[in-house]
């Protein structure tokens, strides 16, 4: 950077400016290959060089002037002979408003085009957050913007542009010439890419707005640039900690399959959380050694106790610590060199201001002796294969779904709700404050272990999500990762001196991080469970080339609503080919069916062949079309009350018929099942039984059509990402939008 730029930075640091002088800012941009208008700064308006060509833009230069346009400090489209009069008028008007001018910036007028805002703001725990949006009403009122996190590749920038509702304006709406999107992508890449402008900025440059960037059919030019200087900027984590120890130095197999467990904090006389943990281990069938630690009790829960960790022979794979916060470090230090993992469920650490130093000291002490801390302020770890759990009556089935959660209470909800919906867990790990063992470390291990096929994350920290992004952008990952994020409201927005800073609330940053990391972001616990179930049960080896769906079920209104739900989630319900419709009409169904797609068949039609007609219908559909997914939906209450007495187990036959049609199809696709209730207790009990039968046939079951639609979107989108990762065409993002 030039001496002039360093001078203006120094002036800003001394308090003379809070915004880098525009000419200096543009000099920075130009040094990185970003196009800016030709121009110069003058104190004498008559000294504008002859090589600059009209029409001109005249801008006031003042240490006190931030919003030049709003204050009357910008005039556009001036001829050379109009400059003196415009300068005099501008100086006088700004003087009345209290602004003393240092001079004028005179620039050539950029070519006409579409105005775009490109900006960046430093965000604690995340780094540079980048915003792009169309200028004017699109940003000011509609807030039609997209966000990303640096460094950004050209492909990621195109993904951001594809999110803009105003993208057709850039593409040439209403017969206008399309703007040069390649030039815009290149400009943003030079600002935000690895080695770009943002990488070169000192820490006290905290916000940047290029507003506007004019994108014409022949290029992209940054016609205004605002670099915000903030003294004493600190974008670090609120709780400092050292670099995490690589997972390979402490294999997580010992966490999920421990042989020896020590329990610190159980009572020798009453019942507390430590006692309940021991009981849960015993009830769950833990086959290893349990060692209660207590200063005076001879036994706890019928198991011999020892005074301290220092008296244990051999290695403790896992220590469960439920002591007062101030006693934790000393108690664990007694086991120096013996304890691999310590899960500190105690609170009173960095979740409160008073406990920050206590947490830092705990982590430092344990790292010095080779013990990894999970937590503190958490509930525990559940491992189905290791028979390790922190909940009573824990789910017993060993599965392939692993969950990492920053919330302890939500971990319990995930286990309970997931089990009720048919999820089989590999593990659920509550990490609380994440003082030492990070979510990203556990994620890396779970992605590498063959025992897991799906990973769920509940995160409340944007910094933790940034860690996940940094991991995933550097590795190939075919396992689906589902993210439920806490703190996604607009309350994260802050007062700022740039459009980017003002609009960059958490509700925008979570989707940006998820998009770049390639993970599926969900909005609720129910959706989290639904998507995990779909990812776990569905056969992801099935190649899908579209987002086309076929709806098959009873209830005309339900079918219409289902089609609406699919459309909201980006799926299509195309009309079946004519040969398929002709074949369906020839099946001899009773009257009253809709056979175009959705396939709406009343209960009387479902009763044909006691439900076996479903196989004929679906075989026909799959012979003449190639949907990505078939969603079959049935009102179990109506079927059971109207047909069970005369036709037997129609619902069960329907499920088996769907499975046979699926398995015999020459062109396989996904099959989801929606079993709806009428709210009566006996119906809901029947649905639970049918759901188990369907899950045994590897068919995901959902309670509502909207649930199936959101899960289908996530599954198909994940498969599209995996399929296109190595062969993706950049233009495809625009076409899909």
């Amino acid at each position: 950077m030039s001496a002039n730029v360093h001078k203006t930075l120094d002036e800003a640091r001394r308090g003379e400016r809070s915004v880098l002088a525009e000419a200096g800012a543009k000099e920075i941009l130009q040094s990185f290959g970003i196009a800016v208008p030709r121009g110069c700064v003058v104190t004498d308006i008559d000294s504008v060089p002859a090589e600059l060509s009209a029409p001109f833009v005249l801008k006031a230069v003042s240490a006190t002037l931030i919003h030049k346009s709003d204050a009357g400090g910008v005039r556009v489209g001036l001829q050379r002979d109009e400059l003196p009069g415009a300068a005099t008028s501008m100086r006088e008007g700004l003087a009345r408003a209290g602004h003393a001018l240092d001079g004028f910036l005179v620039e050539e007028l950029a070519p006409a085009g579409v105005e775009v805002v490109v900006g960046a703001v430093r965000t604690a725990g995340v780094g540079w957050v980048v915003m792009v949006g169309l200028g004017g009403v699109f940003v000011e009122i509609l807030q039609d913007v997209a966000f990303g996190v640096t460094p950004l590749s050209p492909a990621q920038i195109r993904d951001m542009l594809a999110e803009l509702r105003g993208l057709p304006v850039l593409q040439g709406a209403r017969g206008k010439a399309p703007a040069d999107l390649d030039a815009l992508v290149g400009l943003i890449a030079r600002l935000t890419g690895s080695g770009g402008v943002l990488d070169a900025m000192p820490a006290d440059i905290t916000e940047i707005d290029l507003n506007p960037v004019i994108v014409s059919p022949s290029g992209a030019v940054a016609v205004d640039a605002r670099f915000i200087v903030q003294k004493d900027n600190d974008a670090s984590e609120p709780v400092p900690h050292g670099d995490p120890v690589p997972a390979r130095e402490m294999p997580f197999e010992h966490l999920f399959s421990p042989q020896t467990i020590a329990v610190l904090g159980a009572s020798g006389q009453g019942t507390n959380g430590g006692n309940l943990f021991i009981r849960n281990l015993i009830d769950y069938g833990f086959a290893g050694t349990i060692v209660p630690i207590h200063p005076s009790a001879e036994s706890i829960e019928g198991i011999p106790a020892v005074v301290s960790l220092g008296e244990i022979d051999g290695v403790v794979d896992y220590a469960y610590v439920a002591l007062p916060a101030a006693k934790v470090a000393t108690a664990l230090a007694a086991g120096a060199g013996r304890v691999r993992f310590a899960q500190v469920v105690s609170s009173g650490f960095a979740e409160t201001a008073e406990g920050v130093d206590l947490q830092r000291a705990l982590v430092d002490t344990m790292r010095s002796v080779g013990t990894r801390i999970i937590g503190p302020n958490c509930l525990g770890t559940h491992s189905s294969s290791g028979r390790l759990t922190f909940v009573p009556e824990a789910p017993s089935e060993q599965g392939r779904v692993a969950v990492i959660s920053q919330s302890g209470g939500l971990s319990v909800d995930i286990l309970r709700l997931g089990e009720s919906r048919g999820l089989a867990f590999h593990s659920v790990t509550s990490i609380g404050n994440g003082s030492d063992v990070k979510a990203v470390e556990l994620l890396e291990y779970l992605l590498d272990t063959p025992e897991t096929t799906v990973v769920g994350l509940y995160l409340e920290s944007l910094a933790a999500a940034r860690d996940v992004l940094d991991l995933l952008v550097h590795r190939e990952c075919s396992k689906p990762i589902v993210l439920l994020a806490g703190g996604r409201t607009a309350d994260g927005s802050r007062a700022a001196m740039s459009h980017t800073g003002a609009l960059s609330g958490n509700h925008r940053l979570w989707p940006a991080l998820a998009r770049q990391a390639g993970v599926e972001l969900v909005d609720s616990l129910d959706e989290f469970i639904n998507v995990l179930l779909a990812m776990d049960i569905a056969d992801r080896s099935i190649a899908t080339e579209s987002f086309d769906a076929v709806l098959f079920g009873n209830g005309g209104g339900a079918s219409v609503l289902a089609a609406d739900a699919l459309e909201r989630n980006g799926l299509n319900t195309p009309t079946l080919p004519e040969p398929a419709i002709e074949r369906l009409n020839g099946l001899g169904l009773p009257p009253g069916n809709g056979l175009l797609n959705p396939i709406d068949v009343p209960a009387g039609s479902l009763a044909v062949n006691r439900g076996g007609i479903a196989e004929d219908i679906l075989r026909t559909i799959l012979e003449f079309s190639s949907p990505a997914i078939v969603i079959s939906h049935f009102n179990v209450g109506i079927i059971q009350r109207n047909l069970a007495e005369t036709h037997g187990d129609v619902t069960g036959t329907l499920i088996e018929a769907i499975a046979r049609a699926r398995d015999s199809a020459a062109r396989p696709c996904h099959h989801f099942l929606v079993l709806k209730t009428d709210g009566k207790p006996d119906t809901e009990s029947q649905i639970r039984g049918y759901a188990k039968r369907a899950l045994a046939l590897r068919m995901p079951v959902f309670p509502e059509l909207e649930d199936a639609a959101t899960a289908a979107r996530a599954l198909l989108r994940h498969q599209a990402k995996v399929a296109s990762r190595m062969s993706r065409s950049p233009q495809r993002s625009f076409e899909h939008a």
Side-chain angles (χ1 to χ4, degrees), residues 89-102:
S89 174
M90 184 179 293
R91 186 185 296 274
E92 293 172 351
L94 291 173
R96 288 193 295 271
H99 299 290
L101 269 62
D102 302 321

Side-chain angles (χ1 to χ4, degrees), residues 183-471:
L184 176 60
V185 170
L187 181 149
I188 299 172
R190 292 181 183 95
L191 177 73
T192 67
S194 180
V197 174
L198 298 180
D199 273 358
M201 288 297 98
D204 51 0
I205 299 292
T206 58
E207 298 178 40
I208 293 176
D209 256 12
L210 310 186
N211 181 20
V213 172
I214 302 295
V215 191
S216 68
S218 58
V221 180
V223 301
D224 197 359
R226 180 183 299 169
F227 285 46
I228 310 300
V229 183
Q230 179 180 327
K231 298 171 189 166
D232 303 321
N233 177 55
D234 180 11
S236 63
E237 284 279 0
V239 184
H241 50 73
D243 294 333
V245 178
R248 60 179 176 275
E249 295 185 13
M250 182 63 71
F252 284 106
E253 295 86 46
H254 298 292
L255 170 63
F256 295 115
S257 296
Q259 300 303 305
T260 300
I261 296 177
V263 182
L264 291 77
S267 172
Q269 297 179 339
T271 298
N272 62 18
N275 299 80
L276 295 176
F277 176 72
I278 293 173
R279 295 174 194 176
N280 291 337
L281 287 178
I282 295 170
D283 292 344
Y284 201 47
F286 177 68
T289 301
I290 303 173
V291 185
I293 309 296
H294 196 279
S296 59
E298 293 186 0
S299 67
I300 294 177
E301 299 296 325
I303 302 172
V306 300
V307 173
S308 77
L309 285 168
E311 296 189 3
I312 298 177
D313 293 329
V315 175
V316 173
D317 296 306
Y318 178 84
Y320 179 90
V321 186
L323 295 168
K327 296 182 178 181
V328 171
T330 301
L332 285 174
R338 292 186 175 92
V339 181
R340 289 190 168 106
F341 292 96
Q343 183 130 27
V344 180
V345 302
S346 317
S347 58
F349 289 91
E351 72 277 7
T352 66
E354 297 78 12
V356 170
D357 290 340
L358 196 62
Q359 179 167 304
R360 183 186 294 108
L362 171 65
V363 173
D364 290 344
T365 300
M366 291 302 100
R367 283 186 175 175
S368 69
V369 299
T371 296
R372 301 299 308 276
I373 297 295
I374 305 169
N377 188 35
C378 56
L379 284 187
T381 294
H382 170 91
S383 170
S384 300
S385 62
R387 311 316 284 175
L388 165 68
T389 194
F390 60 96
V391 296
E393 300 178 0
S396 60
E397 185 180 355
Q398 296 183 29
R400 306 175 299 175
V401 176
V403 175
I404 305 161
S405 173
Q406 287 191 300
S407 165
L410 199 68
S411 299
V412 179
D413 296 338
I414 289 167
L415 281 165
R416 297 295 188 215
L417 182 59
E419 181 187 28
S420 72
R421 293 292 314 284
L423 270 182
F425 291 99
H426 166 274
S427 58
V428 175
T429 308
S430 163
I431 64 170
N433 294 356
S435 64
D436 179 28
V437 171
K438 306 294 182 197
V440 69
E441 291 183 82
L442 288 166
L443 174 62
E444 185 170 22
Y445 169 78
L446 293 168
L447 292 177
D448 288 337
T449 183
E451 284 77 29
T452 63
T453 57
V454 184
V455 180
L457 300 172
Y458 172 74
L459 302 179
E460 296 174 348
S461 161
L462 284 166
R466 173 75 212 218
D467 289 342
V468 169
L469 169 62
D470 289 341
L471 169 68

Side-chain angles (χ1 to χ4, degrees), residues 544-591:
T544 56
E545 298 181 353
S546 71
F547 282 74
D548 291 347
V550 167
L551 284 165
F552 166 57
N554 66 314
S559 295
V560 172
L561 292 175
D564 291 343
L566 288 174
E567 183 175 351
R568 284 194 299 273
N569 285 279
L571 278 71
N572 314 305
T573 50
T575 300
L576 293 178
E578 191 61 35
I581 297 171
E582 291 178 2
R583 178 80 64 83
L584 291 174
N585 279 320
L587 292 178
L589 296 171

